[in-house]
Amino acid sequence: MPSLQPPSAAASPPPLFSMRDVGKRFPNGTLALQGMSLECGDHEFISFLGPSGCGKSTALRLIAGLTRISEGALEWPERPAPADGQRELGFVFQEPTLMPWAKVFDNVWLPLKLAGVKRDAAAPVIRQVLEMVGLSRFADVYPRELSGGMKMRVSIARALVTQPRLLLMDEPFAALDEMTRIKLNNDLLAIWREHRFSVVFVTHSVYESVYLSSRIVVMAARPGRVVETFGIEEPYPRGEEFRTSSRYNQHCMAVQRSLHGALGGQDIDH
Ligand SMILES: Nc1ncnc2c1ncn2[C@@H]1O[C@H](COP(=O)(O)OP(=O)(O)OP(=O)(O)O)[C@@H](O)[C@H]1O
Ligand SMILES: [Mg+2]
């Protein structure tokens, strides 16, 4: 019998995760998130952008399973089970949260150690992710010997060591100076392009979100909710040429307008 579905629909893989009308109310009554719907496919770069308190971290924590949803549905459709030592997702927090008593190598080993992988067996992949983030020469130093940007690189390496399909990043570069942030933006894009995982990235910065993302979810507060979603249909690799182009500026202005609308004209931090 002929299928009624168009071939492209039949062939498209299931999303990595999907959220349908997801809400989160905390026990104290705060409605942190309301009616959020989102599907994330393979190799997407999605940013959550919005003012303080709009539920960005809450949404990320719900996706990670660190907090339970109160309403709606959050699903991870059936996928082949990850191989040994692999995980569905990695999480990068705003603070690098490294163990000060452990060398860089051992900090990166931690998720594999917790999964029961011995240090020697983990060594090749640890070396590989340290190389990816440009820290090959720093495996044997302690976190206190590193700059803020280098600590964040260690934190990214630690999240990637389990080869996740999805990398969740909560304002990872907010505490860094502008030049370091730009460098880390470029390096993150290069790693993402080569290794083809998906990213959900939280930021306050319109400019950073447009530079990095294939899709931007603009959010507003009280209650936390999605206001508008933008597709940034610009080719990768993106570099200085894109950052200084009029198309980049047009995207930034459109996203900025949406954010201002959501804020009712208040000043925002970008
Ligand atoms: N554990 C909690 N218990 C009660 N309320 C919470 C809890 N965590 C967050 N909230 C509230 O939920 C709302 C959304 O918080 P969330 O941390 O998700 O915002 P955010 O967009 O990440 O803000 P920021 O940009 O400042 O990090 C806020 O009003 C916050 O006070
Ligand atoms: Mg937050």
Side-chain angles (χ1 to χ4, degrees):
M1 203 169 110
S3 163
L4 294 177
Q5 287 214 318
S8 61
S12 66
L16 207 49
F17 70 86
S18 75
M19 302 169 80
R20 224 172 31 254
D21 276 332
V22 166
K24 175 68 186 179
R25 188 182 288 278
F26 284 103
N28 67 0
T30 304
L31 185 56
L33 197 63
Q34 191 178 46
M36 182 168 190
S37 295
L38 178 72
E39 279 198 354
C40 174
D42 279 323
H43 197 47
E44 287 213 61
F45 201 121
I46 298 176
S47 287
F48 294 166
L49 174 73
S52 193
C54 71
K56 303 181 296 294
S57 297
T58 300
L60 214 59
R61 293 174 60 81
L62 291 173
I63 295 166
L66 295 171
T67 308
R68 286 216 187 123
I69 65 172
S70 325
E71 290 167 10
L74 172 55
E75 283 162 4
W76 290 75
E78 204 54 44
R79 296 213 156 217
D84 269 0
Q86 283 192 329
R87 284 290 144 87
E88 282 297 345
L89 49 89
F91 207 118
V92 176
F93 299 92
Q94 179 168 352
E95 297 297 326
T97 59
L98 304 177
M99 302 178 294
W101 61 85
K103 292 180 174 175
V104 164
F105 185 98
D106 293 305
N107 267 285
V108 174
W109 174 37
L110 181 68
L112 290 177
K113 185 181 179 186
L114 294 174
V117 183
K118 295 267 183 291
R119 200 171 184 276
D120 282 354
V125 66
I126 296 172
R127 302 233 172 262
Q128 189 196 346
V129 289
L130 284 175
E131 163 126 38
M132 273 157 65
V133 300
L135 288 181
S136 296
R137 291 188 299 114
F138 296 88
D140 289 326
V141 309
Y142 288 96
R144 63 173 176 273
E145 301 170 67
L146 302 175
S147 68
M150 290 160 89
K151 284 183 190 144
M152 188 45 77
R153 288 174 185 276
V154 177
S155 175
I156 294 170
R158 184 182 53 192
L160 291 176
V161 79
T162 56
Q163 302 167 57
R165 292 196 177 113
L166 177 64
L167 184 62
L168 302 172
M169 308 181 86
D170 196 352
E171 300 198 52
F173 308 143
L176 304 176
D177 66 85
E178 188 67 13
M179 291 313 292
T180 306
R181 180 192 268 224
I182 289 174
K183 178 84 177 82
L184 276 159
N185 280 177
N186 287 336
D187 290 352
L188 173 63
L189 278 186
I191 295 168
W192 168 74
R193 277 172 45 78
E194 188 177 340
H195 296 273
R196 308 197 67 77
F197 46 85
S198 287
V199 180
V200 180
F201 187 95
V202 168
T203 180
H204 279 116
S205 164
V206 170
Y207 302 114
E208 185 175 49
S209 66
V210 171
Y211 185 66
L212 294 174
S213 314
S214 53
R215 203 147 42 114
I216 300 175
V217 178
V218 176
M219 299 172 69
R222 280 174 293 279
R225 63 198 186 277
V226 174
V227 179
E228 199 172 353
T229 300
F230 290 84
I232 308 296
E233 281 151 21
E234 300 290 341
Y236 296 92
R238 296 177 184 173
E240 273 321 289
E241 208 176 311
F242 177 56
R243 209 189 269 284
T244 52
S245 68
S246 61
R247 295 190 57 80
Y248 173 70
N249 268 312
Q250 282 162 8
H251 287 299
C252 289
M253 283 190 308
V255 173
Q256 186 90 270
R257 264 198 301 275
S258 171
L259 201 53
H260 265 276
L263 285 169
Q266 292 170 40
D267 277 347
I268 50 160
D269 159 27
H270 54 74

